[in-house]
Amino acid sequence: MAPRPDFSLEAAHPGPVAGVDEAGRGPLAGPVLAAAVIFPGQPPEELAALLDDSKRLDAAKREAAYAALIGARAAGTALISVGAASAGEIGRLNILRATHLAMLRAVSRLPVAPSLALVDGNAPPRLGCAVRCVVGGDGLSLSIAAASIMAKVVRDRAMARLGARWPDYGFARHAGYPTPAHREALARLGPTPHHRRGFSPVDQAVLALS
């Protein structure tokens, strides 16, 4: 069994520590979402037990963890913010720079400025504070795990709303990822305004229908 995230990275730093993670780098459509989470102290055991890398959790467990995090924010035991970069920004900037922009927006919206950001991955964004990259951090750090859950749930809900507006593409089912059904719809119907230019299947669909 994979080890569960804990609070050791956060506890080793004397100031406010934000965990930062993203969701949606791989899809062909929709925004990339980032979340930032600060736990002012050791999270309650019942909350910590719900937190893990969002990819290890099924939808029901992610929703339960999300609800618990919203409750913790209301109780003052978690500080949480989200940021996004649109499909248009992804097309202009590229996905890495757009992801870093979403992370910067998330951190800048926290009610308390962190003195350290623990960022999942190996590419350090500029966030206005010290940054430590943690490869596999969403499975190691409770604050990064919380950020991964927030980003994933918020993005999935956003894609479900886009699915209601563009029902032929199935966004609510695949969240914009390049599934066979999504690729078929894209090739047949062409891209929506929410598809990402610069991603090969999207650009190919534009050329094929032009």
Side-chain angles (χ1 to χ4, degrees):
M1 180 178 292
R4 294 187 58 81
D6 61 33
F7 201 60
S8 58
L9 292 175
E10 294 88 341
H13 184 77
V17 177
V20 181
D21 202 2
E22 53 75 26
R25 286 186 62 171
L28 303 178
V32 61
L33 256 291
V37 177
I38 294 175
F39 291 118
Q42 174 80 39
E45 288 185 11
E46 59 271 22
L47 174 59
L50 298 173
L51 303 180
D52 203 345
D53 175 356
S54 64
K55 296 183 291 297
R56 296 180 187 168
L57 303 177
D58 62 27
K61 289 181 178 179
R62 281 196 302 270
E63 288 288 343
Y66 175 87
L69 286 164
I70 295 301
R73 181 173 64 181
T77 54
L79 308 176
I80 300 170
S81 60
V82 297
S86 69
E89 288 173 321
I90 293 167
R92 291 194 300 272
L93 297 174
N94 76 40
I95 186 58
L96 178 61
R97 291 171 62 194
T99 298
H100 286 181
L101 176 60
M103 289 179 171
L104 176 61
R105 287 170 173 166
V107 170
S108 68
R109 291 170 182 161
L110 284 166
V112 171
S115 58
L116 174 67
L118 301 173
V119 178
D120 186 48
N122 59 7
R126 295 182 178 180
L127 299 179
C129 64
V131 171
R132 177 179 175 184
C133 289
V134 185
V135 175
D138 42 8
L140 300 173
S141 156
L142 283 171
S143 60
I144 300 178
S148 78
I149 291 164
M150 293 298 304
K152 172 67 173 168
V153 172
V154 171
R155 187 180 187 281
D156 282 355
R157 291 181 177 185
M159 294 307 295
R161 291 192 295 272
L162 284 182
R165 292 171 55 192
W166 302 88
D168 293 333
Y169 292 84
F171 291 143
R173 295 190 300 276
H174 53 63
Y177 282 88
T179 63
H182 185 193
R183 286 175 176 268
E184 186 278 327
L186 180 60
R188 176 168 49 88
L189 302 170
T192 71
H194 304 283
H195 279 92
R196 300 173 177 181
R197 291 298 188 93
F199 281 53
S200 178
V202 178
D203 292 345
Q204 288 174 5
V206 172
L207 289 173
L209 295 171
S210 61

